Amino acid sequence: MKSWLICVATLLLLPLLALAAYDVCVFQPARLDMRIAIAHAPAADRVPSPGFAAQLQMQTPDLVPYSTRLLMRQVDFSTSRYWGLHYFLWSQLNALHLSDDERLAIIASQGFPAPYGPDLVHASQCAFGEQPDQLDSSDMTALVWLIRDGARQKTCPHA
């Protein structure tokens, strides 16, 4: 009976230990790199305007999937056969460790496609020729659309 309990305990603890090791060795270094990148980003990207945050959360209620993809750019998983497993682990660790404000900062500082990107300040200047805090609600909606659906234009309209 005692050996059976040890076997069950081992089977239950082994995945938790593996997740903890993955968290410490892979996720946390990339999270640190992202925090450094956000710290060097313009203020409008570090703390996005309430209008941008509201529009993004209205159109994308769950910020975990998109911010996970942006975080995963820090580590090259392109050659991994287990990309889906990495994405699942990163999604869980993102949900566990990051706040919504951190996810918003990641999206605002890294989430815009070329030629608009990479961040909110460049995207608003490129698309509308104005700073993010000068945009109205419809312009913010257009910026969120750029994040969600990508840019189809090859050049910046207000460059």
Side-chain angles (χ1 to χ4, degrees), residues 33-52:
D33 291 344
M34 185 60 70
R35 282 190 170 175
I36 292 169
I38 289 171
H40 289 91
D45 294 338
R46 288 191 304 266
V47 183
S49 69
F52 176 77

Side-chain angles (χ1 to χ4, degrees), residues 49-121:
S49 69
F52 176 77
Q55 287 294 330
L56 185 62
Q57 288 181 325
M58 184 171 53
Q59 292 187 28
T60 310
D62 187 8
L63 301 176
V64 172
Y66 191 70
S67 60
T68 296
R69 287 194 300 271
L70 294 173
L71 276 170
M72 287 181 72
R73 288 183 186 172
Q74 303 298 318
V75 180
D76 183 19
F77 291 113
S78 62
T79 59
S80 176
R81 295 185 319 170
Y82 303 106
W83 189 90
L85 177 62
H86 289 291
Y87 180 78
F88 171 76
L89 291 172
W90 280 63
S91 294
Q92 301 310 309
L93 294 170
N94 181 348
L96 179 68
H97 290 301
L98 274 61
S99 67
D100 278 345
D101 290 340
E102 288 176 304
R103 290 184 198 105
L104 280 169
I106 289 167
I107 293 169
S109 66
Q110 302 286 319
F112 289 90
Y116 293 95
D119 56 34
L120 177 61
V121 172

